[in-house]
Amino acid sequence: VASRKDDSSQDEENKNKFLYDDSPLKKYVDACLATPLCTRVDGSNSNENATILEVSSHFSPEWSKWSMNDPTLWAMDYLSHHPLLQRAQSRNMTSPKLSWDVFINLSGDTLPVISAQRIAQLFEPNQGPLGNTNFVTSSSCVTGLLPTSIYDFPNGWMKRVHYFQRHIPKKLSYVDLTTGEYLIDDEIDIYFGSQWMALTRDFVEFVVRSMDHPNGLGNVLKDSMVNTGVSMTDETFFATMLMNSPSFEHTLPVLNEVGALARFPTMYALRYERMDENTPNAWGEFRSVEPLYDIPPKFSKNTDGEAAAKPWGPYFLGVYDLGNIRDSGAIFIRKVSSTVDENLV
């Protein structure tokens, strides 16, 4: 399912050229649809045409605000309730066929580094090494493939201070939709991750139910974040939901002794990004041991109005990143642009 903003009300001068229609990801999806490899492999090893739905959303998210989560939650709700995408898709109701297995949320400046067919194989629920696993982090997460607890950051670090000043984490009262129990003053720890993620179908449907229920954890957590005015909720909401839902503990990535995914030990990150390169991390260390890249002034001129990169990133990638991309084992990369380095697009 491809989500894009409907810009029909904008004039030509003010159109956002970074919409999905003009993105590298859209070009990749179009190329995929034109090939016989754009198929879905189900548990019986038979191929069938994929169901492709292109839909329009109507959101204007503000950077760092709660509205950053609205398009993602809308897409989850759409996937969970659309009649073409329901669980029972066969006449044999005792053995329903899933119309989708994994929810992968990507920005338009993201591209995969492997084929769509290989991605489907990796996420296949029964045999794929990434199947039945929830990934909510990127290569810039200090705890790798697992979300970072707010308590992992040292005292005085911006992310920790920002939340604690607004009395978050806090105890919340909500209905546990798995047990039906009403939990009173349950301690909800905050975790940092990313909105660009790959989630299991069961967890997506759980999030949707928790938003639909007035006393579900999702709704209560959202109200807490909105009412306190915390920022960066696109980094914390889904990671916090996952890490505070015991019924999904078995879906967390299991890592080996060097921090790679135990079932796929070449993978250290789902998505490769360059972040925090020109600023030190929470422990005063620079992430890169290599010479730091400058932030080219052309970002404000040659990227269709994207503006200059922030000191902490994410930065546009180039051919000089290929070695690190390979070493990370990531299956997606961000950010890419043909006006920065067309070799990656």
Side-chain angles (χ1 to χ4, degrees):
V1 176
S3 175
R4 59 189 176 91
K5 182 179 177 182
D6 183 359
D7 61 342
S8 58
S9 63
Q10 296 178 332
D11 57 38
E12 289 296 323
E13 181 179 352
N14 295 317
K15 277 188 178 179
N16 183 348
K17 295 182 181 180
F18 273 77
L19 293 175
Y20 174 72
D21 280 340
D22 299 315
S23 70
L25 185 60
K26 174 67 159 60
K27 297 176 183 177
Y28 175 86
V29 172
D30 288 344
C32 171
L33 295 177
T35 69
L37 291 179
C38 190
T39 57
R40 180 185 184 278
V41 181
D42 60 22
S44 62
N45 294 324
S46 62
N47 292 345
E48 62 180 14
N49 291 333
T51 300
I52 306 297
L53 299 176
E54 185 167 315
V55 292
S56 297
S57 62
H58 301 270
F59 300 96
S60 298
E62 293 183 75
W63 183 75
S64 83
K65 303 297 185 182
W66 171 262
S67 58
M68 294 281 288
N69 294 308
D70 288 336
T72 307
L73 290 168
W74 169 83
M76 289 181 170
D77 186 79
Y78 192 95
L79 279 171
S80 298
H81 292 112
H82 195 285
L84 288 179
L85 302 172
Q86 296 303 301
R87 284 182 175 268
Q89 289 286 301
S90 65
R91 294 181 180 179
N92 182 6
M93 298 298 290
T94 62
S95 180
K97 180 173 56 177
L98 297 181
S99 55
W100 60 278
D101 302 317
V102 58
F103 173 84
I104 302 177
N105 194 42
L106 303 173
S107 61
D109 51 15
T110 301
L111 280 180
V113 298
I114 55 178
S115 70
Q117 185 182 45
R118 179 58 176 151
I119 293 174
Q121 292 171 345
L122 291 175
F123 281 102
E124 202 280 319
N126 297 317
Q127 299 179 352
L130 310 187
N132 294 315
T133 306
N134 286 299
F135 298 93
V136 292
T137 67
S138 70
S139 59
S140 61
C141 185
V142 295
T143 49
L145 287 164
L146 289 171
T148 306
S149 169
I150 194 171
Y151 294 105
D152 287 341
F153 295 111
N155 291 329
W157 185 245
M158 181 271 293
K159 289 184 176 180
R160 179 169 178 159
V161 170
H162 175 75
Y163 273 74
F164 274 87
Q165 284 179 339
R166 289 155 180 80
H167 307 292
I168 291 181
K170 63 168 59 178
K171 295 179 180 179
L172 299 177
S173 299
Y174 60 94
V175 174
D176 185 329
L177 296 180
T178 301
T179 65
E181 181 183 2
Y182 186 73
L183 302 177
I184 300 175
D185 291 336
D186 189 32
E187 193 73 46
I188 299 296
D189 291 339
I190 296 296
Y191 287 82
F192 278 81
S194 174
Q195 70 179 124
W196 313 122
M197 53 199 173
L199 304 176
T200 65
R201 180 168 187 148
D202 286 343
F203 183 66
V204 168
E205 293 178 342
F206 168 76
V207 171
V208 171
R209 292 197 308 274
S210 74
M211 297 300 294
D212 287 343
H213 195 294
N215 294 314
L217 176 58
N219 240 336
V220 174
L221 181 61
K222 172 189 174 181
D223 287 344
S224 176
M225 289 179 164
V226 171
N227 293 337
T228 54
V230 294
S231 300
M232 302 171 286
T233 58
D234 55 313
E235 297 180 30
T236 57
F237 177 74
F238 297 103
T240 298
M241 285 285 296
L242 177 63
M243 298 300 285
N244 286 276
S245 300
S247 58
F248 290 96
E249 184 176 358
H250 68 286
T251 69
L252 296 174
V254 177
L255 310 184
N256 62 20
E257 63 278 4
V258 294
L261 191 66
R263 296 177 60 191
F264 198 56
T266 59
M267 188 173 118
Y268 292 83
L270 178 72
R271 187 184 69 262
Y272 178 83
E273 290 177 339
R274 288 212 335 260
M275 292 283 290
D276 299 328
E277 182 180 287
N278 291 274
T279 57
N281 66 15
W283 296 269
E285 303 166 338
F286 284 91
R287 294 191 59 85
S288 176
V289 296
E290 303 168 351
L292 303 183
Y293 296 112
D294 291 330
I295 304 175
K298 70 177 183 178
F299 281 174
S300 62
K301 298 179 181 178
N302 296 350
T303 54
D304 295 322
E306 169 73 357
K310 296 178 174 64
W312 55 87
Y315 312 112
F316 284 102
L317 304 178
V319 292
Y320 40 74
D321 292 294
L322 291 176
N324 288 335
I325 292 171
R326 177 200 59 203
D327 294 342
S328 74
I331 60 177
F332 300 104
I333 58 174
R334 175 179 183 257
K335 304 168 66 172
V336 296
S337 171
S338 59
T339 58
V340 175
D341 193 335
E342 61 184 4
N343 295 291
L344 266 68
V345 177

